[in-house]
Amino acid sequence: MASDLSAFYILLKRDLTLAYRHRAELANPLLFFIIVVSLFPLGISSESKALQSIAPGVIWVAALLAAMLSLDSLFRSDFEDGSLEQIALSAHSLPLLVLGKVLAHWLVTGLPLIVLAPFLGILLFLPDTAMLTLIATLALGTPVLSLVGAIGVALTVGLRRGGVLLSLLVLPLYIPVLIFAAGAVNEAARGFPVAGQLYFLAALLSLSLTLAPFAVAAALRISLS
Amino acid sequence: MWAFLHKFSSPKYFYALSGRLIPWFGWFCLAFMLAGLYYGLFVAPPDYQQGESYRIMFVHVPAAWMSMFVYMVMAIAGGIGLVWRIKLAEVIAASSAPIGASFTFLALATGALWGKPMWGTWWVWDARLTSELILLFLYLGVIALNSAIEDKRTASRASAVLALVGVVNIPIIHYSVEWWNTLHQGATFTKLDAPSIHISMLIPLLLMAIAFKLFYVVVVLKRARCEVLERERNSSWVQELVKKYET
Protein backbone atom coordinates (compact mmCIF):
# COMPACT_ATOMS: atom_id res chain seq x y z
CA MET A 1 0.00 0.00 0.00
CA ALA A 2 1.26 3.43 -0.95
CA SER A 3 2.25 5.88 1.73
CA ASP A 4 0.32 9.07 2.41
CA LEU A 5 2.91 11.17 0.65
CA SER A 6 2.90 9.12 -2.54
CA ALA A 7 -0.90 9.24 -2.55
CA PHE A 8 -0.52 13.02 -2.35
CA TYR A 9 1.76 13.04 -5.41
CA ILE A 10 -0.46 10.68 -7.37
CA LEU A 11 -3.50 12.85 -6.72
CA LEU A 12 -1.56 15.99 -7.60
CA LYS A 13 -0.38 14.44 -10.86
CA ARG A 14 -3.85 13.19 -11.70
CA ASP A 15 -5.42 16.61 -11.15
CA LEU A 16 -2.74 18.36 -13.18
CA THR A 17 -3.22 15.87 -16.02
CA LEU A 18 -6.96 16.37 -15.89
CA ALA A 19 -6.49 20.13 -15.99
CA TYR A 20 -4.11 19.79 -18.94
CA ARG A 21 -6.69 17.76 -20.86
CA HIS A 22 -9.23 20.56 -20.37
CA ARG A 23 -6.96 23.44 -21.25
CA ALA A 24 -9.72 25.62 -22.70
CA GLU A 25 -11.60 25.76 -19.40
CA LEU A 26 -8.54 27.02 -17.60
CA ALA A 27 -8.40 30.14 -19.73
CA ASN A 28 -11.86 31.33 -18.65
CA PRO A 29 -11.02 32.74 -15.19
CA LEU A 30 -7.95 34.42 -16.69
CA LEU A 31 -10.00 36.04 -19.43
CA PHE A 32 -12.44 37.15 -16.76
CA PHE A 33 -9.54 38.67 -14.80
CA ILE A 34 -8.33 40.64 -17.85
CA ILE A 35 -11.80 41.80 -18.90
CA VAL A 36 -12.79 42.98 -15.43
CA VAL A 37 -9.59 44.99 -15.07
CA SER A 38 -9.97 46.55 -18.50
CA LEU A 39 -13.54 47.64 -17.65
CA PHE A 40 -12.30 50.06 -15.00
CA PRO A 41 -10.54 52.54 -17.31
CA LEU A 42 -13.73 52.54 -19.43
CA GLY A 43 -15.94 53.11 -16.41
CA ILE A 44 -13.84 55.59 -14.46
CA SER A 45 -11.43 57.55 -16.63
CA SER A 46 -8.52 57.00 -18.95
CA GLU A 47 -6.36 59.48 -17.02
CA SER A 48 -3.16 57.87 -15.81
CA LYS A 49 -3.30 59.62 -12.39
CA ALA A 50 -6.78 58.32 -11.56
CA LEU A 51 -5.97 54.81 -12.78
CA GLN A 52 -2.68 54.72 -10.93
CA SER A 53 -4.37 55.40 -7.60
CA ILE A 54 -6.96 52.63 -8.01
CA ALA A 55 -4.71 50.11 -9.77
CA PRO A 56 -3.70 47.98 -6.73
CA GLY A 57 -7.26 47.70 -5.47
CA VAL A 58 -8.69 46.96 -8.91
CA ILE A 59 -6.15 44.28 -9.72
CA TRP A 60 -6.59 42.64 -6.36
CA VAL A 61 -10.39 42.72 -6.37
CA ALA A 62 -10.36 41.27 -9.89
CA ALA A 63 -7.93 38.56 -8.78
CA LEU A 64 -10.20 37.80 -5.82
CA LEU A 65 -13.25 37.41 -8.06
CA ALA A 66 -11.35 35.35 -10.63
CA ALA A 67 -10.06 33.05 -7.89
CA MET A 68 -13.58 32.69 -6.53
CA LEU A 69 -15.09 31.90 -9.92
CA SER A 70 -12.52 29.21 -10.60
CA LEU A 71 -13.18 27.56 -7.21
CA ASP A 72 -16.30 25.75 -8.36
CA SER A 73 -14.25 23.35 -10.50
CA LEU A 74 -12.17 22.28 -7.49
CA PHE A 75 -14.43 19.44 -6.31
CA ARG A 76 -17.36 19.57 -8.76
CA SER A 77 -16.38 16.97 -11.35
CA ASP A 78 -14.94 14.63 -8.72
CA PHE A 79 -18.15 14.93 -6.76
CA GLU A 80 -20.31 14.20 -9.77
CA ASP A 81 -18.45 11.08 -10.91
CA GLY A 82 -18.06 9.75 -7.37
CA SER A 83 -14.28 9.86 -7.17
CA LEU A 84 -14.52 12.38 -4.33
CA GLU A 85 -16.24 9.73 -2.22
CA GLN A 86 -13.48 7.27 -3.07
CA ILE A 87 -10.88 9.82 -2.01
CA ALA A 88 -12.72 10.41 1.27
CA LEU A 89 -13.04 6.66 1.86
CA SER A 90 -9.36 5.92 1.20
CA ALA A 91 -7.15 4.99 4.11
CA HIS A 92 -4.92 8.02 3.54
CA SER A 93 -5.19 11.20 5.53
CA LEU A 94 -7.95 13.25 3.92
CA PRO A 95 -6.48 16.67 4.85
CA LEU A 96 -3.27 15.78 3.01
CA LEU A 97 -5.14 14.61 -0.08
CA VAL A 98 -7.23 17.77 0.03
CA LEU A 99 -4.04 19.78 0.18
CA GLY A 100 -2.87 17.99 -2.98
CA LYS A 101 -6.08 18.88 -4.79
CA VAL A 102 -5.89 22.50 -3.67
CA LEU A 103 -2.24 22.71 -4.70
CA ALA A 104 -3.06 21.37 -8.17
CA HIS A 105 -5.93 23.82 -8.42
CA TRP A 106 -3.72 26.73 -7.39
CA LEU A 107 -1.01 25.73 -9.87
CA VAL A 108 -3.46 25.94 -12.77
CA THR A 109 -5.55 28.93 -11.64
CA GLY A 110 -3.50 30.98 -9.17
CA LEU A 111 -0.11 30.83 -10.81
CA PRO A 112 -1.27 32.18 -14.21
CA LEU A 113 -2.84 35.16 -12.39
CA ILE A 114 0.58 36.04 -11.02
CA VAL A 115 2.08 35.89 -14.49
CA LEU A 116 -0.67 38.04 -15.97
CA ALA A 117 -0.85 40.65 -13.22
CA PRO A 118 2.21 42.73 -14.23
CA PHE A 119 0.73 43.27 -17.70
CA LEU A 120 -2.51 44.48 -16.16
CA GLY A 121 -0.38 46.69 -13.92
CA ILE A 122 1.06 48.29 -17.03
CA LEU A 123 -2.43 48.80 -18.44
CA LEU A 124 -3.37 50.71 -15.29
CA PHE A 125 -0.07 52.67 -15.13
CA LEU A 126 1.06 51.03 -11.91
CA PRO A 127 4.55 52.41 -11.12
CA ASP A 128 7.44 50.01 -11.81
CA THR A 129 8.48 50.19 -8.16
CA ALA A 130 5.23 48.48 -7.15
CA MET A 131 5.44 45.70 -9.72
CA LEU A 132 7.60 43.41 -7.63
CA THR A 133 5.37 43.94 -4.60
CA LEU A 134 2.31 43.13 -6.71
CA ILE A 135 3.87 39.83 -7.72
CA ALA A 136 4.96 39.08 -4.16
CA THR A 137 1.50 39.80 -2.71
CA LEU A 138 -0.14 37.63 -5.36
CA ALA A 139 2.34 34.83 -4.75
CA LEU A 140 1.58 34.93 -1.00
CA GLY A 141 -2.11 35.79 -1.28
CA THR A 142 -3.58 33.59 -4.00
CA PRO A 143 -2.74 30.31 -2.19
CA VAL A 144 -4.66 31.67 0.81
CA LEU A 145 -7.61 32.38 -1.49
CA SER A 146 -7.51 28.81 -2.82
CA LEU A 147 -7.20 27.26 0.65
CA VAL A 148 -9.93 29.33 2.32
CA GLY A 149 -12.12 29.06 -0.75
CA ALA A 150 -11.79 25.27 -0.66
CA ILE A 151 -13.65 25.27 2.67
CA GLY A 152 -16.56 27.08 1.05
CA VAL A 153 -16.55 24.74 -1.95
CA ALA A 154 -16.45 21.68 0.28
CA LEU A 155 -19.50 22.98 2.17
CA THR A 156 -21.53 23.74 -0.96
CA VAL A 157 -20.42 20.95 -3.32
CA GLY A 158 -23.52 18.87 -2.63
CA LEU A 159 -25.90 21.71 -3.47
CA ARG A 160 -27.36 22.12 -6.91
CA ARG A 161 -27.02 25.89 -7.01
CA GLY A 162 -23.98 26.52 -4.88
CA GLY A 163 -22.46 29.28 -7.02
CA VAL A 164 -23.93 32.45 -5.52
CA LEU A 165 -23.99 30.94 -2.04
CA LEU A 166 -20.30 30.14 -2.36
CA SER A 167 -19.46 33.79 -2.99
CA LEU A 168 -21.55 34.79 0.01
CA LEU A 169 -19.63 32.37 2.24
CA VAL A 170 -16.16 32.97 0.91
CA LEU A 171 -15.86 36.67 0.09
CA PRO A 172 -16.06 37.94 3.71
CA LEU A 173 -13.24 35.54 4.61
CA TYR A 174 -11.09 37.01 1.82
CA ILE A 175 -11.14 40.52 3.29
CA PRO A 176 -7.91 40.33 5.37
CA VAL A 177 -5.95 39.17 2.32
CA LEU A 178 -7.38 42.00 0.25
CA ILE A 179 -6.55 44.60 2.90
CA PHE A 180 -2.95 43.55 3.40
CA ALA A 181 -2.18 42.84 -0.25
CA ALA A 182 -3.74 45.94 -1.78
CA GLY A 183 -2.31 47.98 1.09
CA ALA A 184 1.18 46.69 0.39
CA VAL A 185 0.98 47.49 -3.32
CA ASN A 186 -0.37 50.96 -2.53
CA GLU A 187 2.49 51.65 -0.14
CA ALA A 188 5.04 50.33 -2.61
CA ALA A 189 3.66 52.64 -5.30
CA ARG A 190 4.28 55.57 -2.96
CA GLY A 191 7.77 54.33 -2.23
CA PHE A 192 7.28 53.12 1.34
CA PRO A 193 8.64 49.84 2.76
CA VAL A 194 6.16 46.97 2.66
CA ALA A 195 7.89 44.25 4.68
CA GLY A 196 5.25 44.45 7.44
CA GLN A 197 2.33 43.70 5.15
CA LEU A 198 4.23 40.92 3.39
CA TYR A 199 4.95 39.30 6.77
CA PHE A 200 1.25 39.48 7.58
CA LEU A 201 0.41 37.82 4.27
CA ALA A 202 2.99 35.13 4.94
CA ALA A 203 1.44 34.60 8.39
CA LEU A 204 -2.01 34.25 6.83
CA LEU A 205 -0.58 31.78 4.33
CA SER A 206 1.01 29.59 7.00
CA LEU A 207 -2.14 29.75 9.12
CA SER A 208 -4.40 28.71 6.25
CA LEU A 209 -1.90 26.12 5.05
CA THR A 210 -1.98 24.40 8.44
CA LEU A 211 -5.64 24.81 9.41
CA ALA A 212 -7.67 24.98 6.20
CA PRO A 213 -7.06 21.37 5.02
CA PHE A 214 -8.62 20.05 8.24
CA ALA A 215 -11.65 22.30 7.85
CA VAL A 216 -11.98 21.25 4.19
CA ALA A 217 -11.77 17.57 5.15
CA ALA A 218 -14.43 18.00 7.86
CA ALA A 219 -16.66 19.93 5.46
CA LEU A 220 -16.25 17.29 2.73
CA ARG A 221 -17.24 14.52 5.11
CA ILE A 222 -20.40 16.47 5.98
CA SER A 223 -21.24 17.14 2.33
CA LEU A 224 -20.69 13.51 1.38
CA SER A 225 -22.65 12.00 4.26
CA MET B 1 -23.61 15.56 36.31
CA TRP B 2 -23.45 13.69 33.00
CA ALA B 3 -26.81 12.09 33.64
CA PHE B 4 -28.28 15.54 34.19
CA LEU B 5 -26.70 16.86 31.01
CA HIS B 6 -28.04 13.95 29.00
CA LYS B 7 -31.46 14.44 30.47
CA PHE B 8 -31.42 18.19 29.85
CA SER B 9 -30.18 17.86 26.30
CA SER B 10 -32.97 15.52 25.30
CA PRO B 11 -35.38 17.54 23.16
CA LYS B 12 -38.44 16.41 25.10
CA TYR B 13 -37.09 17.52 28.46
CA PHE B 14 -35.78 20.75 26.98
CA TYR B 15 -39.18 21.55 25.53
CA ALA B 16 -40.88 21.17 28.89
CA LEU B 17 -38.19 22.98 30.91
CA SER B 18 -37.81 25.92 28.52
CA GLY B 19 -41.57 26.41 28.55
CA ARG B 20 -41.39 26.93 32.29
CA LEU B 21 -38.27 29.12 32.17
CA ILE B 22 -39.26 31.55 29.43
CA PRO B 23 -41.75 33.60 31.52
CA TRP B 24 -39.15 34.07 34.28
CA PHE B 25 -36.48 35.29 31.89
CA GLY B 26 -39.07 37.41 30.12
CA TRP B 27 -40.20 39.26 33.26
CA PHE B 28 -36.63 39.79 34.46
CA CYS B 29 -35.73 41.11 31.01
CA LEU B 30 -38.65 43.54 31.09
CA ALA B 31 -37.69 44.75 34.59
CA PHE B 32 -34.06 45.33 33.66
CA MET B 33 -35.00 47.00 30.39
CA LEU B 34 -37.46 49.39 32.04
CA ALA B 35 -34.94 50.24 34.75
CA GLY B 36 -32.15 50.68 32.20
CA LEU B 37 -34.28 52.88 29.96
CA TYR B 38 -35.48 54.96 32.91
CA TYR B 39 -31.96 55.53 34.21
CA GLY B 40 -30.58 56.01 30.73
CA LEU B 41 -33.19 58.40 29.39
CA PHE B 42 -34.18 60.37 32.50
CA VAL B 43 -31.63 60.01 35.30
CA ALA B 44 -28.24 60.01 33.51
CA PRO B 45 -26.99 63.57 32.88
CA PRO B 46 -26.47 64.85 29.32
CA ASP B 47 -22.97 64.41 27.97
CA TYR B 48 -20.81 67.54 28.14
CA GLN B 49 -19.77 67.10 24.52
CA GLN B 50 -22.49 65.14 22.80
CA GLY B 51 -25.54 66.55 24.64
CA GLU B 52 -28.60 64.30 24.64
CA SER B 53 -27.79 62.36 21.51
CA TYR B 54 -25.30 60.11 23.29
CA ARG B 55 -28.26 58.32 24.91
CA ILE B 56 -28.56 56.07 21.86
CA MET B 57 -25.44 54.44 23.32
CA PHE B 58 -27.67 52.55 25.76
CA VAL B 59 -29.05 50.60 22.82
CA HIS B 60 -26.05 50.75 20.49
CA VAL B 61 -23.36 49.42 22.82
CA PRO B 62 -25.31 46.44 24.24
CA ALA B 63 -26.39 45.52 20.69
CA ALA B 64 -22.78 45.59 19.52
CA TRP B 65 -21.72 43.45 22.50
CA MET B 66 -24.49 40.99 21.81
CA SER B 67 -23.58 40.77 18.14
CA MET B 68 -20.23 39.28 19.08
CA PHE B 69 -21.50 37.30 22.07
CA VAL B 70 -24.19 35.57 20.02
CA TYR B 71 -21.66 34.65 17.34
CA MET B 72 -19.50 33.01 19.99
CA VAL B 73 -22.52 31.14 21.42
CA MET B 74 -23.45 30.02 17.93
CA ALA B 75 -19.95 28.81 17.14
CA ILE B 76 -19.47 27.03 20.48
CA ALA B 77 -22.90 25.38 20.27
CA GLY B 78 -22.14 24.42 16.68
CA GLY B 79 -18.79 22.95 17.73
CA ILE B 80 -20.44 20.95 20.52
CA GLY B 81 -23.01 19.67 18.04
CA LEU B 82 -20.25 18.77 15.60
CA VAL B 83 -18.16 16.85 18.13
CA TRP B 84 -20.75 15.18 20.37
CA ARG B 85 -23.70 15.20 17.96
CA ILE B 86 -25.96 16.71 20.60
CA LYS B 87 -29.20 17.63 18.88
CA LEU B 88 -29.98 20.46 21.26
CA ALA B 89 -26.65 22.21 20.58
CA GLU B 90 -27.39 22.11 16.85
CA VAL B 91 -30.82 23.58 17.53
CA ILE B 92 -29.37 26.40 19.66
CA ALA B 93 -26.78 27.22 16.99
CA ALA B 94 -29.36 27.27 14.23
CA SER B 95 -31.77 29.46 16.20
CA SER B 96 -29.03 31.87 17.33
CA ALA B 97 -27.94 32.91 13.85
CA PRO B 98 -30.93 35.12 12.89
CA ILE B 99 -30.97 36.72 16.36
CA GLY B 100 -27.27 37.53 16.16
CA ALA B 101 -27.72 38.98 12.69
CA SER B 102 -30.55 41.18 14.03
CA PHE B 103 -28.37 42.44 16.88
CA THR B 104 -25.60 43.21 14.40
CA PHE B 105 -28.02 45.06 12.18
CA LEU B 106 -29.37 46.97 15.18
CA ALA B 107 -25.83 47.97 16.19
CA LEU B 108 -25.12 49.20 12.66
CA ALA B 109 -28.41 51.06 12.35
CA THR B 110 -28.15 52.79 15.74
CA GLY B 111 -24.51 53.54 14.96
CA ALA B 112 -25.57 55.27 11.74
CA LEU B 113 -28.23 57.27 13.61
CA TRP B 114 -25.64 58.26 16.20
CA GLY B 115 -23.00 59.02 13.61
CA LYS B 116 -25.14 61.51 11.69
CA PRO B 117 -25.28 64.20 14.44
CA MET B 118 -21.82 63.39 15.87
CA TRP B 119 -19.60 62.81 12.84
CA GLY B 120 -21.91 64.52 10.32
CA THR B 121 -22.28 61.38 8.23
CA TRP B 122 -24.32 58.18 8.31
CA TRP B 123 -21.41 55.96 7.51
CA VAL B 124 -17.63 56.08 7.66
CA TRP B 125 -15.25 53.32 6.65
CA ASP B 126 -13.99 53.14 10.18
CA ALA B 127 -12.44 49.97 11.57
CA ARG B 128 -15.11 48.98 14.03
CA LEU B 129 -18.01 49.81 11.73
CA THR B 130 -16.37 47.82 8.97
CA SER B 131 -15.72 44.78 11.11
CA GLU B 132 -19.30 44.93 12.38
CA LEU B 133 -20.47 45.00 8.76
CA ILE B 134 -18.28 42.01 7.95
CA LEU B 135 -19.69 40.23 11.00
CA LEU B 136 -23.15 40.80 9.51
CA PHE B 137 -21.94 39.23 6.25
CA LEU B 138 -20.61 36.22 8.18
CA TYR B 139 -23.99 35.82 9.91
CA LEU B 140 -25.83 36.07 6.60
CA GLY B 141 -23.50 33.43 5.14
CA VAL B 142 -24.29 31.04 8.00
CA ILE B 143 -28.04 31.69 7.64
CA ALA B 144 -27.87 31.22 3.86
CA LEU B 145 -25.96 27.95 4.16
CA ASN B 146 -28.34 26.74 6.85
CA SER B 147 -31.37 27.31 4.66
CA ALA B 148 -29.74 26.01 1.47
CA ILE B 149 -29.25 22.46 2.77
CA GLU B 150 -32.47 20.47 3.00
CA ASP B 151 -31.55 17.98 5.68
CA LYS B 152 -31.63 19.90 8.95
CA ARG B 153 -28.88 17.96 10.69
CA THR B 154 -26.48 18.18 7.75
CA ALA B 155 -27.30 21.88 7.51
CA SER B 156 -26.46 22.35 11.19
CA ARG B 157 -23.14 20.60 10.87
CA ALA B 158 -22.16 22.46 7.72
CA SER B 159 -23.00 25.84 9.23
CA ALA B 160 -21.14 24.86 12.40
CA VAL B 161 -17.97 24.36 10.34
CA LEU B 162 -18.55 27.73 8.69
CA ALA B 163 -19.16 29.43 12.05
CA LEU B 164 -15.95 27.93 13.46
CA VAL B 165 -13.97 29.11 10.42
CA GLY B 166 -15.53 32.51 11.06
CA VAL B 167 -14.37 32.46 14.68
CA VAL B 168 -10.79 31.93 13.56
CA ASN B 169 -11.23 34.74 11.07
CA ILE B 170 -12.97 37.31 13.25
CA PRO B 171 -9.84 38.43 15.15
CA ILE B 172 -7.85 38.49 11.91
CA ILE B 173 -10.52 40.54 10.18
CA HIS B 174 -10.84 42.81 13.20
CA TYR B 175 -7.14 43.61 13.43
CA SER B 176 -6.61 43.86 9.69
CA VAL B 177 -9.45 46.34 9.45
CA GLU B 178 -8.18 48.24 12.48
CA TRP B 179 -4.74 48.47 10.97
CA TRP B 180 -6.34 49.61 7.72
CA ASN B 181 -8.32 52.53 9.09
CA THR B 182 -9.57 53.79 12.42
CA LEU B 183 -11.53 56.80 13.52
CA HIS B 184 -13.89 55.36 16.11
CA GLN B 185 -13.79 56.62 19.68
CA GLY B 186 -11.93 54.29 22.01
CA ALA B 187 -13.81 51.41 23.59
CA THR B 188 -16.20 52.64 26.25
CA PHE B 189 -14.49 50.57 28.82
CA THR B 190 -11.62 48.21 28.44
CA LYS B 191 -10.82 47.69 32.10
CA LEU B 192 -13.56 47.32 34.63
CA ASP B 193 -11.60 49.09 37.36
CA ALA B 194 -10.96 52.33 35.49
CA PRO B 195 -13.70 52.88 32.91
CA SER B 196 -13.59 56.07 30.85
CA ILE B 197 -17.28 56.56 31.55
CA HIS B 198 -19.02 58.17 34.50
CA ILE B 199 -20.80 55.89 36.96
CA SER B 200 -24.17 57.56 36.28
CA MET B 201 -23.92 56.46 32.66
CA LEU B 202 -22.29 53.12 33.40
CA ILE B 203 -25.20 51.88 35.54
CA PRO B 204 -27.89 52.22 32.85
CA LEU B 205 -25.46 50.78 30.30
CA LEU B 206 -24.90 47.67 32.39
CA LEU B 207 -28.63 47.38 33.13
CA MET B 208 -29.33 47.50 29.42
CA ALA B 209 -26.58 44.97 28.71
CA ILE B 210 -28.17 42.53 31.17
CA ALA B 211 -31.60 43.22 29.67
CA PHE B 212 -30.27 42.48 26.17
CA LYS B 213 -28.73 39.22 27.36
CA LEU B 214 -32.00 38.14 28.96
CA PHE B 215 -33.85 39.17 25.82
CA TYR B 216 -31.55 36.96 23.78
CA VAL B 217 -32.17 34.05 26.15
CA VAL B 218 -35.94 34.46 25.84
CA VAL B 219 -35.89 34.70 22.06
CA VAL B 220 -33.39 31.89 21.54
CA LEU B 221 -35.42 29.58 23.79
CA LYS B 222 -38.61 30.44 21.93
CA ARG B 223 -36.97 29.86 18.56
CA ALA B 224 -35.34 26.65 19.77
CA ARG B 225 -38.72 25.32 20.94
CA CYS B 226 -40.19 25.80 17.47
CA GLU B 227 -37.10 24.28 15.90
CA VAL B 228 -37.26 21.27 18.24
CA LEU B 229 -40.91 20.66 17.38
CA GLU B 230 -40.11 20.85 13.68
CA ARG B 231 -37.12 18.53 13.87
CA GLU B 232 -38.78 16.03 16.21
CA ARG B 233 -42.12 16.03 14.44
CA ASN B 234 -41.98 12.28 13.89
CA SER B 235 -41.33 11.43 17.54
CA SER B 236 -44.11 10.19 19.75
CA TRP B 237 -43.98 12.99 22.33
CA VAL B 238 -44.51 15.70 19.72
CA GLN B 239 -47.44 13.82 18.23
CA GLU B 240 -48.97 13.40 21.66
CA LEU B 241 -48.52 17.12 22.23
CA VAL B 242 -50.25 17.92 18.97
CA LYS B 243 -53.13 15.58 19.83
CA LYS B 244 -53.50 17.26 23.21
CA TYR B 245 -53.86 20.66 21.54
CA GLU B 246 -56.24 19.34 18.92
CA THR B 247 -58.75 18.05 21.43
Side-chain angles (χ1 to χ4, degrees):
Chain A
M1 179 149 163
S3 75
D4 273 5
L5 216 56
S6 66
F8 171 85
Y9 284 123
I10 291 166
L11 196 61
L12 180 65
K13 218 176 118 193
R14 166 187 174 270
D15 271 26
L16 288 177
T17 318
L18 274 176
Y20 181 72
R21 301 264 160 83
H22 297 94
R23 286 183 291 274
E25 274 173 37
L26 292 179
N28 293 345
L30 297 175
L31 284 175
F32 173 83
F33 184 46
I34 298 169
I35 291 171
V36 166
V37 169
S38 58
L39 287 179
F40 279 85
L42 302 174
I44 293 170
S45 116
S46 57
E47 238 179 295
S48 67
K49 268 256 172 58
L51 288 177
Q52 210 169 23
S53 64
I54 59 162
V58 167
I59 293 176
W60 253 99
V61 170
L64 216 76
L65 296 176
M68 201 200 67
L69 280 182
S70 68
L71 277 176
D72 195 52
S73 63
L74 179 55
F75 295 128
R76 175 71 58 199
S77 65
D78 279 356
F79 178 75
E80 277 166 0
D81 66 13
S83 38
L84 197 60
E85 260 172 39
Q86 297 306 315
I87 293 172
L89 285 173
S90 83
H92 301 292
S93 125
L94 186 56
L96 193 68
L97 297 181
V98 160
L99 195 62
K101 281 196 76 67
V102 174
L103 178 62
H105 184 259
W106 177 77
L107 285 175
V108 295
T109 61
L111 208 55
L113 287 185
I114 304 176
V115 179
L116 269 179
F119 299 105
L120 295 175
I122 293 170
L123 280 184
L124 296 181
F125 308 105
L126 191 71
D128 292 344
T129 49
M131 234 31 123
L132 209 62
T133 312
L134 179 65
I135 295 170
T137 53
L138 282 168
L140 288 170
T142 47
V144 181
L145 302 184
S146 293
L147 284 162
V148 173
I151 304 173
V153 189
L155 286 172
T156 54
V157 71
L159 303 174
R160 202 151 301 149
R161 279 161 305 176
V164 186
L165 182 62
L166 176 66
S167 57
L168 199 61
L169 304 187
V170 163
L171 283 180
L173 302 176
Y174 280 177
I175 289 168
V177 179
L178 176 68
I179 289 176
F180 286 116
V185 183
N186 263 321
E187 297 284 287
R190 291 195 208 116
F192 292 115
V194 293
Q197 286 92 321
L198 292 183
Y199 288 146
F200 265 112
L201 282 174
L204 289 179
L205 176 58
S206 44
L207 190 70
S208 53
L209 204 56
T210 44
L211 290 183
F214 293 96
V216 178
L220 275 183
R221 289 201 195 281
I222 291 168
S223 286
L224 290 172
S225 66
Chain B
M1 173 74 188
W2 284 112
F4 170 76
L5 271 184
H6 278 294
K7 193 178 167 198
F8 178 72
S9 67
S10 84
K12 184 183 173 189
Y13 188 77
F14 167 78
Y15 187 83
L17 182 68
S18 60
R20 266 178 285 145
L21 286 179
I22 284 175
W24 286 95
F25 282 118
W27 287 112
F28 271 112
C29 168
L30 192 68
F32 272 103
M33 195 160 287
L34 287 177
L37 284 176
Y38 176 72
Y39 273 97
L41 297 182
F42 299 106
V43 178
D47 188 72
Y48 77 102
Q49 248 181 342
Q50 305 192 358
E52 301 288 351
S53 65
Y54 86 97
R55 292 186 198 277
I56 200 167
M57 172 183 85
F58 299 124
V59 177
H60 173 72
V61 174
W65 283 343
M66 289 309 290
S67 68
M68 280 170 269
F69 176 77
V70 175
Y71 197 93
M72 286 313 292
V73 171
M74 184 178 78
I76 292 170
I80 291 173
L82 209 56
V83 176
W84 288 289
R85 306 280 165 94
I86 295 176
K87 282 184 194 167
L88 190 60
E90 291 173 358
V91 168
I92 295 287
S95 20
S96 286
I99 310 172
S102 317
F103 277 127
T104 316
F105 181 76
L106 182 66
L108 282 170
T110 52
L113 290 175
W114 193 6
K116 186 64 182 167
M118 287 305 112
W119 295 335
T121 165
W122 298 108
W123 180 259
V124 283
W125 285 99
D126 156 75
R128 278 209 263 159
L129 272 90
T130 313
S131 46
E132 196 74 10
L133 183 67
I134 298 168
L135 184 66
L136 183 63
F137 292 156
L138 291 175
Y139 270 121
L140 295 179
V142 172
I143 295 171
L145 185 65
N146 219 338
S147 57
I149 303 177
E150 296 251 323
D151 179 60
K152 289 258 184 189
R153 295 208 70 185
T154 314
S156 291
R157 290 166 60 208
S159 23
V161 170
L162 187 67
L164 287 173
V165 172
V167 166
V168 176
N169 254 273
I170 282 174
I172 301 174
I173 291 173
H174 181 78
Y175 285 105
S176 64
V177 170
E178 192 142 289
W179 173 85
W180 168 66
N181 198 357
T182 198
L183 185 122
H184 208 281
Q185 58 184 341
T188 306
F189 58 89
T190 43
K191 290 177 300 226
L192 271 172
D193 54 356
S196 66
I197 177 174
H198 192 263
I199 189 79
S200 61
M201 296 176 188
L202 181 63
I203 288 172
L205 187 59
L206 290 179
L207 286 175
M208 288 302 281
I210 295 168
F212 268 58
K213 278 233 161 79
L214 290 170
F215 178 76
Y216 163 67
V217 172
V218 171
V219 180
V220 83
L221 287 180
K222 273 187 178 288
R223 288 190 72 99
R225 277 162 68 87
C226 296
E227 190 85 25
V228 161
L229 285 186
E230 220 178 304
R231 290 187 185 207
E232 302 289 312
R233 62 177 174 275
N234 291 329
S235 69
S236 57
W237 69 269
V238 174
Q239 299 195 341
E240 267 167 37
L241 205 74
V242 172
K243 272 188 208 130
K244 210 168 77 186
Y245 276 103
E246 270 176 352
T247 50

